[in-house]
Amino acid sequence: MGRRTANSRRPSGGEWAARWAEDRLGTRGVARKAMRKAFPSHWSFVLGEISLYSFVVLVITGTYLALYFHPSTSQVEYHGSYRPLQGQHVSEAFNSTMHISFEVRGGLLVRQAHHWAALVFIASILAHLMRVFFTGAFRKPRELNWLLGFALLVLGMFAGLTGYDLPDDLLSGTGLMIVHGTLLSVPVVGTYLSMLLFGGEFPGGDVIARFDIIHVLLIPALMVGIIAVHLVLAVRHKPAQYPGPGRENGNVVGLPFRTYAVKAVGLFFLTSGVIFLVASIAQINPVWLYGPYRADQVSAGSQPDWYMGVADGLLRVMPGWELTAWGHTLALDNLVPLGAGVVFFAFLGAYPFIESWVTDDDTEHHLLDRPRNRPVRVGIGAAWISVYLVALAGAGNDLLATHLHLSVNAVTWAVRVGLFAVPAVAYTVAKRCALGLQRQDREKVLHGRETGVLRRLPHGEFIDVHETLSQKQLHLLTSHEQYRPIDVDPTHRTSGVLRLRARISRVFHGDSAQVPKVTPREYREISEGHGK
């Protein structure tokens, strides 16, 4: 019964493979279900895809580099093609990096593509997180997606830090000195952490090998697992979409899977091409100019990659405070920036739960917010970004001083003041801009869109001619939900937590935080008046 008859058609290679997979894996049902899914089409969704595709480039180029890299601090004499270093004693890690750069075919291009892909990866993740933040895509049921994306950002930063230090050149060694000092500032266990990481007293003999394992095995494995879970949850919860006609919490309006897949493949090759194009024309991390690491030397103009600039900037502008008690010294100049950096990022990771607690909202949201309709959230996001940028300027205080002919102390003090003043200004300006856009939307709904045409009435008065908005535009400007602050009865005894929650709720959703949208009654009254 199971044999093929003489008249039966022999399946082609692709059909046979599909049948084989279906019989053993049951993939046809999954594939059909995926083919029926729709994917929203908006330029901002590309940010998350770029991070995925740059991660693929990182894995491919990193695998190629791992074939030639030797993670060892053992000293050898350099005999490569770069003459200024010939005859010098360097570590095997530095020697293999030079070998990759000058002797391996395509090695320098792959090295630079790997470094540029890392920068693009972290930049696209941060931009994607900011898009999710400002549009409220982190709300139920996507809180776990937000945490996974935030974990990818943190892991990407540590992957960049460990990979940055692998070549054992003078620039990366200077960065390791900062890591060493930061670890020592941790109370009680700081010394043990340093000894564990470096394999002894700084600079140690095992740090390159341990960083290599962390960079090549541990962090990529965690990232692959996080990305897989993130994609599964994204399919499970369906993509969030921007509001518009026909778009509701229960549906998805967008491109079919086949069209989306073709665009995704094209974007992958475009992302890879741009990364390799930049790597071929823009030099990055020229270790031969820095030379091998020496414990008694510090590279002038040492700058970390931009994503670590916030940590380095906080360290640079912190005063050299120390606290001594009972024979122990607490290095506040390292401990305070370390704690501030942890709080800075932890706040971003915990924000979805903070906002959910404030709004007392436990419903599912599959429609995104227009950022202008959440002024406080916009202000908080702008303030967070401003801290990042000011701290990044602090990380380059020496270069700013030399290039702008300023005092490095003046730049440092400007950054210290800016870390407190700029976020407050950014919050206020961003919030006021969002409120202004809300008022503009309200005027459009009530009076229509200005056409730029002036009309003269019979009695000589000139008026602006307004055009009534379409139903699509009216839906876009009025479909958003406005929360009301949590009320607390002052005549009843309430807990301090509830009163605090009510105060924060008024900050988020009080009269000063949102412009009431037009009610149907107001719209009818205005429309009838215009009709007369």
Side-chain angles (χ1 to χ4, degrees):
M1 295 295 292
R3 294 181 180 179
R4 183 166 51 88
T5 63
N7 295 328
S8 62
R9 182 179 63 87
R10 185 180 181 87
S12 62
E15 185 179 355
W16 178 86
R19 288 184 180 179
W20 187 93
E22 168 61 22
D23 292 340
R24 290 154 180 81
L25 302 177
T27 57
R28 183 175 300 178
V30 177
R32 286 180 176 177
K33 187 176 181 180
M35 295 289 286
R36 291 195 297 267
K37 285 187 174 294
F39 295 85
S41 179
H42 193 271
W43 68 265
S44 62
F45 293 102
V46 172
L47 298 172
E49 297 181 45
I50 291 176
S51 63
L52 175 62
Y53 304 146
S54 57
F55 179 76
V56 175
V57 175
L58 277 171
V59 171
I60 296 173
T61 55
T63 302
Y64 182 85
L65 295 174
L67 299 176
Y68 300 95
F69 182 72
H70 300 286
S72 173
T73 56
S74 300
Q75 294 294 302
V76 297
E77 189 173 340
Y78 179 72
H79 295 291
S81 58
Y82 188 69
R83 291 188 176 182
L85 290 179
Q86 287 182 352
Q88 293 193 27
H89 288 279
V90 300
S91 66
E92 286 191 13
F94 184 85
N95 186 60
S96 61
T97 304
M98 294 291 291
H99 176 71
I100 293 172
S101 302
F102 290 100
E103 279 82 42
V104 176
R105 185 179 297 274
L108 182 59
L109 175 63
V110 175
R111 259 198 70 225
Q112 298 202 147
H114 188 74
H115 202 137
W116 280 114
L119 299 181
V120 172
F121 173 68
I122 300 178
S124 57
I125 285 182
L126 183 59
H128 176 66
L129 285 176
M130 290 297 100
R131 195 275 300 176
V132 172
F133 180 90
F134 287 117
T135 60
F138 51 75
R139 295 174 295 175
K140 183 182 178 179
R142 297 178 180 83
E143 300 96 334
L144 185 56
N145 296 60
W146 169 265
L147 292 177
L148 293 174
F150 175 73
L152 273 180
L153 174 64
V154 175
L155 285 175
M157 295 174 64
F158 278 101
L161 174 64
T162 53
Y164 179 81
D165 293 323
L166 288 181
D168 198 30
D169 60 291
L170 186 57
L171 184 62
S172 64
T174 303
L176 276 178
M177 293 175 63
I178 298 174
V179 173
H180 172 65
T182 303
L183 288 177
L184 289 180
S185 68
V186 179
V188 183
V189 298
T191 304
Y192 301 101
L193 290 176
S194 176
M195 296 286 285
L196 176 65
L197 180 63
F198 290 93
E201 293 288 342
F202 179 83
D206 298 330
V207 62
I208 300 298
R210 293 177 181 180
F211 270 27
D212 184 67
I213 293 175
I214 295 173
H215 180 76
V216 176
L217 295 177
L218 181 59
I219 293 180
L222 292 174
M223 284 184 165
V224 169
I226 289 175
I227 290 174
V229 175
H230 182 80
L231 293 177
V232 170
L233 289 177
V235 173
R236 170 66 179 82
H237 295 144
K238 68 186 178 182
Q241 58 187 344
Y242 286 92
R247 300 177 181 179
E248 301 173 352
N249 268 326
N251 67 357
V252 177
V253 178
L255 300 175
F257 176 77
R258 292 180 179 179
T259 305
Y260 173 80
V262 172
K263 292 182 64 176
V265 172
L267 182 59
F268 168 72
F269 285 110
L270 181 62
T271 302
S272 305
V274 170
I275 290 174
F276 275 91
L277 176 63
V278 174
S280 64
I281 62 177
Q283 179 177 271
I284 190 169
N285 199 22
V287 296
W288 53 91
L289 298 181
Y290 308 138
Y293 175 66
R294 296 288 183 268
D296 59 340
Q297 298 179 13
V298 175
S299 178
S302 299
Q303 303 293 319
D305 285 331
W306 69 268
Y307 49 85
M308 295 302 296
V310 60
D312 192 48
L314 293 175
L315 284 170
R316 290 193 183 202
V317 302
M318 179 66 191
W321 294 345
E322 291 183 351
L323 183 63
T324 303
W326 299 289
H328 297 278
T329 300
L330 198 61
L332 299 179
D333 53 343
N334 277 272
L335 187 59
V336 171
L338 177 63
V342 171
V343 172
F344 178 68
F345 281 98
F347 173 78
L348 182 66
Y351 182 83
F353 305 96
I354 297 174
E355 184 172 302
S356 176
W357 179 70
V358 170
T359 58
D360 195 21
D361 183 12
D362 194 43
T363 59
E364 290 192 1
H365 295 274
H366 299 289
L367 291 178
L368 301 174
D369 288 328
R370 299 177 75 207
R372 66 183 63 185
N373 295 327
R374 300 289 181 259
V376 175
R377 184 197 297 160
V378 170
I380 291 174
W384 193 92
I385 294 173
S386 69
V387 173
Y388 209 119
L389 295 178
V390 173
L392 185 61
N397 59 350
D398 53 344
L399 294 182
L400 290 175
T402 55
H403 284 69
L404 300 179
H405 306 288
L406 300 172
S407 167
V408 68
N409 291 328
V411 175
T412 300
W413 271 104
V415 173
R416 288 173 179 172
V417 175
L419 285 172
F420 296 94
V422 173
V425 174
Y427 172 85
T428 303
V429 172
K431 179 183 174 182
R432 298 304 301 175
C433 288
L435 289 172
L437 291 172
Q438 282 192 40
R439 293 188 179 92
Q440 183 185 60
D441 289 347
R442 180 180 173 86
E443 289 297 316
K444 283 183 179 180
V445 172
L446 290 176
H447 304 291
R449 183 183 64 86
E450 293 183 2
T451 61
V453 177
L454 293 178
R455 178 178 297 172
R456 185 178 182 182
L457 299 181
H459 58 277
E461 179 185 1
F462 288 92
I463 60 171
D464 292 327
V465 178
H466 289 71
E467 181 182 279
T468 304
L469 299 182
S470 64
Q471 290 298 319
K472 177 180 178 180
Q473 293 171 316
L474 288 173
H475 175 80
L476 178 64
L477 299 182
T478 60
S479 62
H480 61 280
E481 180 182 2
Q482 288 191 322
Y483 296 98
R484 299 309 307 166
I486 297 175
D487 293 326
V488 176
D489 191 348
T491 61
H492 291 78
R493 293 193 60 180
T494 55
S495 65
V497 174
L498 183 58
R499 289 196 298 271
L500 175 62
R501 186 181 183 185
R503 292 194 189 100
I504 300 177
S505 178
R506 284 194 293 271
V507 172
F508 272 75
H509 309 301
D511 294 336
S512 62
Q514 57 186 359
V515 176
K517 64 180 183 180
V518 178
T519 63
R521 179 180 178 181
E522 290 176 323
Y523 180 74
R524 286 195 301 269
E525 291 177 352
I526 292 293
S527 300
E528 292 171 359
H530 287 171
K532 295 178 181 179

